[in-house]
């Protein structure tokens, strides 16, 4: 996945849009290594980023991007995260619930190795891909694809 994307910035994963409260589950077994709050640039919108280590070679991130700069919205999103650092989690376990506050709110999911980012969408069965595809954030006028390479 490269730095040249339709988003105009480096984009290393897939964004799952939701304008309503939506639960998100672990995509693989692992251990929660980090939960951090980021202020995304240039907007300052909050992102609650969760890093899960699968094994010594692979990990994934889930970023709950709420589209808000308000402290109260951030506090609510932090309270909607259902895991803690050091916790062992299983695939399918609830990680957190997105509490969207603006248009474009989504959960960003990326899978990584020590050497590169991985477009994991093709690893899902076709039936799951068909269900997931409408939820992906894809800029207007851009060919519908899960990852940008």
């Amino acid at each position: 996945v490269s730095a040249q994307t339709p988003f105009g910035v480096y984009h290393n994963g897939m964004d799952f849009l939701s304008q309503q409260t939506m639960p998100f589950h672990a995509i693989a077994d692992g251990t929660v290594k980090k939960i951090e709050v980021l202020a995304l640039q240039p907007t300052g919108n909050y992102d609650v980023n969760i890093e899960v280590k699968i094994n010594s070679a692979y990990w994934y991130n889930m970023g709950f991007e709420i589209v808000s700069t308000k402290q109260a919205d951030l506090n609510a999103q932090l309270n909607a995260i259902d895991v803690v650092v050091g916790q062992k989690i299983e695939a399918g376990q609830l990680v957190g619930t997105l509490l969207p506050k603006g248009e474009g709110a989504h959960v960003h999911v990326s899978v990584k190795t020590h050497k590169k980012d991985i477009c994991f969408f093709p690893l899902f069965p076709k039936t799951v891909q068909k269900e997931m595809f409408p939820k992906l954030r894809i800029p207007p006028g851009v060919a519908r694809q899960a990852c940008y390479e």
Side-chain angles (χ1 to χ4, degrees):
V1 183
S2 76
Q4 204 54 28
T5 73
F7 299 99
V9 296
Y10 181 75
H11 195 259
N12 62 348
M14 298 188 308
D15 290 345
F16 296 91
L17 281 171
S18 183
Q19 292 307 305
Q20 3 179 352
T21 299
M22 180 181 281
F24 281 84
H25 300 86
I27 61 171
D29 294 353
T31 303
V32 178
K33 287 299 185 186
K34 185 182 343 181
I35 298 174
E36 63 183 343
V37 173
L38 304 172
L40 302 175
Q41 297 303 320
T43 63
N45 287 331
Y46 286 120
D47 172 34
V48 178
N49 187 60
I50 299 168
E51 182 178 296
V52 178
K53 183 177 180 181
I54 299 170
N55 58 36
S56 62
Y58 295 93
W59 66 95
Y60 63 94
N61 287 34
M62 299 180 86
F64 290 75
E65 300 181 21
I66 60 175
V67 188
S68 175
T69 58
K70 296 179 182 173
Q71 186 67 42
D73 293 339
L74 172 61
N75 292 343
Q77 184 60 64
L78 285 167
N79 287 329
I81 300 300
D82 291 293
V83 296
V84 296
V85 173
Q87 180 179 348
K88 293 191 183 309
I89 60 175
E90 297 179 358
Q93 180 176 337
L94 181 65
V95 172
T97 301
L98 177 65
L99 305 177
K101 297 300 175 187
E103 188 172 331
H106 61 279
V107 172
H108 173 88
V109 181
S110 60
V111 178
K112 303 170 182 289
T113 70
H114 294 291
K115 297 180 182 177
K116 64 179 184 173
D117 297 316
I118 298 170
C119 180
F120 61 95
F121 189 77
L123 304 176
F124 289 107
K126 296 287 183 207
T127 53
V128 174
Q129 288 182 23
K130 190 174 182 179
E131 182 181 318
M132 289 169 55
F133 208 77
K135 296 180 173 103
L136 293 176
R137 178 178 75 150
I138 299 172
V142 172
R144 292 183 66 79
Q145 61 190 66
C147 301
Y148 299 94
E149 301 187 29

